[in-house]
């Protein structure tokens, strides 16, 4: 998905020579040349972005059918997809972008309890994963305790509690407002389409009848959104993380309705997979994480 999305994928200066070597050694049949697009205002360590074909596919995806023609030299952004990492004083926390179809299918196929598991780095070749680096940040303020900061043990306990009680309920009165918070966090010139007209009638006719059939899948998605939330640090703590999770619940409900309306049929596995992929395309890849984390509340109820 990331190879065909038309995204401007940054290439670190340190990787350019290795990629050039792969092209020379393997005689990679490039359909677009040069393979690197340079431009102004790039970060210091970035040489440019991967060239794209007319169809928006990465030049190395087209050349490497099937797959990536420079797999062992690909840029860091490619290697990290679909990992979403939060790095703080407790360690590195990894959740996934469900814009990746494999990540989404895991929501459907997992058996057993939902739990935080410790494991090796998903990218063992890298010294340090990329993500939100909050190692210098203080822990969030303890909710309801004035100015006292949480201990990291308390933060862990809160996170485990949120995962244990994760769920995504039915349509809420303020879902469109919450959905619009996510849209408002998308920086120009990008944009995201408005919620479908007559959301409520689509919901009750085509989504609600099947919603409970997918309760386990939705609970796993809610748990994934509750874990490693960047909003803990970008938005000022627990309230921000809960507000962002609340927005995510609204987004997946709205995207389910959009899928059902477009397909003209009730919610099924395929439509829910599409809706979850689109939800994380908006929440993880289009929306500015800080704008999302600091967006105002719509309603303090939890669902
Ligand atoms: S470099 Fe490889 S992994 Fe990265 S977008 Fe291109 S084809 Fe995909």
């Amino acid at each position: 998905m990331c190879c065909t999305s038309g995204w401007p994928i940054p290439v670190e200066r340190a990787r350019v020579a290795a990629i050039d070597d792969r092209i020379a050694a393997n005689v990679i049949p490039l359909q677009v040349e040069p393979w690197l697009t340079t431009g102004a205002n790039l970060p210091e360590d970035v040489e440019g972005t991967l060239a794209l074909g007319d169809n928006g596919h990465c030049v190395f995806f087209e050349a490497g059918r099937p797959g990536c023609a420079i797999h062992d030299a690909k840029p860091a952004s490619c290697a990290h997809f679909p990992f979403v990492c939060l790095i703080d004083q407790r360690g590195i926390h990894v959740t996934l972008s469900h814009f990746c179809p494999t990540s989404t299918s895991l929501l459907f196929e997992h058996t057993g309890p939902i739990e935080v598991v410790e494991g090796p780095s998903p990218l063992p070749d890298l010294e340090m994963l990329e993500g939100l680096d909050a190692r210098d940040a203080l822990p969030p303020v303890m909710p309801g305790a004035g100015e006292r900061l949480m201990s990291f043990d308390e933060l862990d306990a809160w996170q485990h509690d949120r995962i244990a009680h994760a769920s995504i309920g039915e349509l809420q009165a303020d879902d469109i407002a919450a959905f619009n918070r996510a849209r408002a966090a998308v920086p120009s010139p990008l944009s995201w389409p408005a919620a479908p007209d007559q959301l409520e009638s689509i919901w009750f006719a085509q989504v609600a009848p099947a919603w409970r059939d997918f309760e386990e899948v939705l609970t796993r998605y809610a748990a994934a959104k509750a874990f490693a939330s960047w909003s803990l640090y970008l938005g000022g703590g627990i309230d921000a993380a809960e507000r962002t999770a609340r927005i995510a619940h609204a987004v997946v409900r709205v995207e389910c309705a959009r899928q059902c309306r477009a397909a003209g049929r009730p919610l099924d596995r395929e439509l829910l997979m599409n809706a979850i992929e689109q939800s994380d395309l908006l929440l993880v890849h289009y929306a500015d994480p800080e704008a999302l984390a600091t967006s105002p509340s719509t309603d303090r109820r939890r669902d």
Side-chain angles (χ1 to χ4, degrees):
M1 292 295 274
C2 62
C3 308
T4 58
S5 295
W7 292 340
I9 296 178
V11 183
E12 300 74 27
R13 290 186 195 283
R15 302 221 175 200
V16 172
I19 294 173
D20 275 334
D21 286 350
R22 297 302 184 289
I23 294 170
N26 301 335
V27 196
I28 295 171
L30 292 179
Q31 290 168 17
V32 179
E33 293 196 59
W35 64 267
L36 189 68
T37 303
T38 51
N41 301 323
L42 293 168
E44 227 170 66
D45 62 334
V46 170
E47 184 74 24
T49 58
L50 292 170
L52 305 175
D54 291 341
N55 54 5
H57 294 186
C58 168
V59 59
F60 293 118
F61 182 75
E62 291 295 327
R65 290 179 177 277
C68 175
I70 53 161
H71 183 65
D72 56 348
K74 61 190 176 188
S77 296
C78 305
H80 279 79
F81 184 83
F83 306 118
V84 179
C85 305
L86 170 67
I87 306 157
D88 68 11
Q89 293 182 43
R90 297 170 298 163
I92 300 174
H93 301 76
V94 183
T95 186
L96 299 177
S97 163
H98 298 91
F99 181 53
C100 168
T102 305
S103 303
T104 302
S105 65
L106 291 173
L107 297 173
F108 288 78
E109 289 155 16
H110 180 79
T111 53
I114 299 172
E115 53 191 343
V116 178
V117 292
E118 289 192 25
S121 169
L123 298 172
D125 294 345
L126 292 185
E127 253 176 51
M128 175 54 86
L129 293 174
E130 292 182 5
L132 180 69
D133 188 346
R135 282 174 293 175
D136 292 336
L138 295 169
V141 172
M142 184 78 175
E147 294 301 304
R148 182 171 86 75
L149 297 180
M150 300 176 92
S151 69
F152 283 110
D153 284 344
E154 286 170 333
L155 181 56
D156 267 342
W158 169 82
Q159 189 159 259
H160 282 275
D161 179 70
R162 296 309 296 140
I163 289 169
H165 295 99
S167 69
I168 300 184
E170 307 242 353
L171 191 71
Q172 302 287 307
D174 63 344
D175 267 1
I176 289 186
F179 175 75
N180 284 337
R181 299 289 188 222
R183 292 180 67 222
V186 175
S188 172
L190 298 175
S191 63
W192 195 263
D197 292 339
Q198 301 176 323
L199 176 66
E200 202 169 327
S201 65
I202 302 170
W203 174 268
F204 286 110
Q206 297 191 304
V207 182
W211 194 246
R212 287 293 150 215
D213 296 346
F214 295 108
E215 188 167 2
E216 290 186 353
V217 175
L218 292 162
T219 298
R220 291 181 196 121
Y221 180 66
K225 305 314 286 180
F227 186 68
S229 171
W230 288 18
S231 293
L232 277 175
Y233 293 103
L234 293 177
I238 301 292
D239 282 352
E242 295 197 338
R243 206 165 52 239
T244 306
R246 162 82 190 83
I247 290 172
H249 299 181
V251 167
V252 77
R253 285 189 284 258
V254 170
E255 292 304 329
C256 280
R258 192 193 308 282
Q259 290 291 327
C260 289
R261 191 189 64 174
R265 65 176 197 264
L267 188 70
D268 56 23
R269 178 187 167 116
E270 182 188 352
L271 297 182
L272 179 57
M273 286 190 76
N274 293 345
I276 290 174
E277 287 170 20
Q278 288 300 300
S279 296
D280 270 7
L281 180 58
L282 168 57
L283 293 164
V284 181
H285 302 289
Y286 271 49
D288 169 39
E290 190 162 1
L292 195 59
T294 54
S295 62
S297 173
T298 55
D299 187 332
R300 299 197 62 81
R301 285 174 302 166
R302 289 179 181 167
D303 58 328

